[in-house]
């Protein structure tokens, strides 16, 4: 079974649309993240949730809204998509009980293309 | 902001040891050294981490200098599948998950047949 799964893997859409990317982890981890990797391959954190509570919210436009219905899921909803939102979005999770807790397990990524 | 410095690229012959250096001269006492890698078109993969002592697992070894200002990731017998971008990251081992792992530009390792 895939530890951190994201859907969809590929998403092509028009500017102005609203889209969601879903993430689920079956590792029993209590912290989940969204990272964005742009065309220059820089990987930057967007959000972090611990037990459904938002704990990191980097400078991300309000059009991006994470939702964590339970600690195994962290979905990313994007309103009014713009060309600059085109990127690969990675979901990740980690366990706070692990010493040196920044051991993240990443999903395979969701490639968003905005036309 | 990046707290680490890595060479942009390295080559290694297949079957030989790959030694990837990382400088982190401003590392704080509570910060761990983490290594991740990203194989093309895949998500980043955790490799190893350490605080002061050298560490070894099934994937690699991590050698941290006594002053902790630099470290080396060693892949003992590189294979073609080890071709990837390797990221050295320093971050507190905070158990709240509230720490931002900063992925810099990393080292692109190419394993040559």
């Amino acid at each position: 079974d895939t530890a951190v799964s994201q859907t969809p893997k590929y998403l092509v859409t028009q500017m102005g649309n609203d889209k969601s990317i879903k993430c689920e982890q079956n590792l029993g981890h209590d912290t989940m993240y969204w990272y964005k990797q742009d065309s220059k391959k820089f990987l930057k954190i967007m959000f972090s949730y611990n037990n459904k509570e938002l704990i990191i919210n980097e400078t991300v436009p309000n059009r991006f809204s994470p939702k964590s219905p339970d600690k195994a899921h962290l979905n990313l909803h994007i309103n009014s998509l713009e060309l600059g939102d085109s990127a690969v979005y990675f979901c990740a999770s980690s366990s706070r009980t692990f010493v040196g807790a920044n051991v993240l397990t990443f999903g395979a990524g969701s490639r968003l293309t905005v036309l | 902001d990046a707290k680490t410095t890595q060479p942009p690229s390295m080559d290694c012959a297949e079957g030989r040891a790959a030694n990837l250096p990382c400088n982190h001269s401003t590392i704080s006492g509570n910060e761990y050294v983490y290594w991740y890698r990203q194989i093309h078109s895949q998500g980043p993969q955790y490799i190893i981490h350490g605080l002061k002592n050298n560490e070894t697992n099934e994937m690699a070894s991590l050698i941290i200098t006594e002053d902790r200002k630099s470290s080396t990731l060693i892949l003992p017998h590189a294979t073609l599948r080890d071709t990837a971008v390797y990221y050295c990251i320093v971050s507190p081992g905070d158990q709240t998950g509230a720490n931002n792992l900063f992925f810099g530009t990393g080292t692109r390792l190419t394993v040559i047949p």
Side-chain angles (χ1 to χ4, degrees), chain B residues 68-84:
Chain B
R68 303 213 316 129
K69 292 185 177 181
S70 65
S71 61
T72 302
L73 178 75
I74 302 173
L75 307 178
H77 305 287
T79 71
L80 298 179
R81 288 177 294 179
D82 292 323
T83 293

Side-chain angles (χ1 to χ4, degrees), chain A:
Chain A
D1 285 341
T2 303
V4 180
S5 58
Q6 302 178 222
T7 54
K9 188 170 177 61
Y10 299 98
L11 185 54
V12 181
T13 188
Q14 299 287 331
M15 279 176 54
N17 285 349
D18 303 338
K19 291 294 178 186
S20 293
I21 305 172
K22 295 184 177 181
C23 179
E24 175 182 6
Q25 55 94 4
N26 62 6
L27 297 167
H29 288 170
D30 39 47
T31 306
M32 296 185 71
Y33 311 78
W34 277 109
Y35 278 78
K36 177 181 179 181
Q37 188 166 43
D38 59 25
S39 58
K40 295 183 179 179
K41 303 297 184 183
F42 290 118
L43 193 63
K44 294 181 181 178
I45 192 168
M46 300 174 68
F47 301 102
S48 169
Y49 269 75
N50 182 271
N51 276 325
K52 303 192 297 176
E53 183 179 345
L54 180 65
I55 53 175
I56 291 179
N57 183 353
E58 291 296 305
T59 307
V60 176
N62 291 337
R63 299 181 294 103
F64 290 79
S65 54
K67 294 275 193 311
S68 182
D70 54 62
K71 73 174 191 177
H73 296 84
L74 181 61
N75 303 323
L76 184 64
H77 188 75
I78 315 170
N79 291 326
S80 303
L81 279 157
E82 300 177 358
L83 293 177
D85 297 331
S86 295
V88 182
Y89 292 84
F90 289 100
C91 178
S93 69
S94 69
S95 171
R96 66 183 295 179
T97 61
F98 190 85
V99 175
N102 286 320
V103 176
L104 273 59
T105 302
F106 283 83
S110 297
R111 180 176 294 277
L112 171 65
T113 302
V114 182
L115 302 176

Side-chain angles (χ1 to χ4, degrees), chain B residues 15-57:
Chain B
R16 303 298 294 268
N19 297 288
L20 291 90
C22 180
N23 287 321
H24 33 79
S25 58
T26 61
I27 191 170
S28 300
N30 67 338
E31 288 183 317
Y32 287 73
V33 179
Y34 297 85
W35 282 85
Y36 283 76
R37 73 180 182 184
Q38 187 172 24
I39 296 170
H40 182 62
S41 296
Q42 296 183 22
Q45 177 189 24
Y46 163 79
I47 301 173
I48 198 167
H49 76 285
L51 184 63
K52 296 180 183 177
N53 300 322
N54 299 336
E55 302 287 345
T56 296
N57 63 20

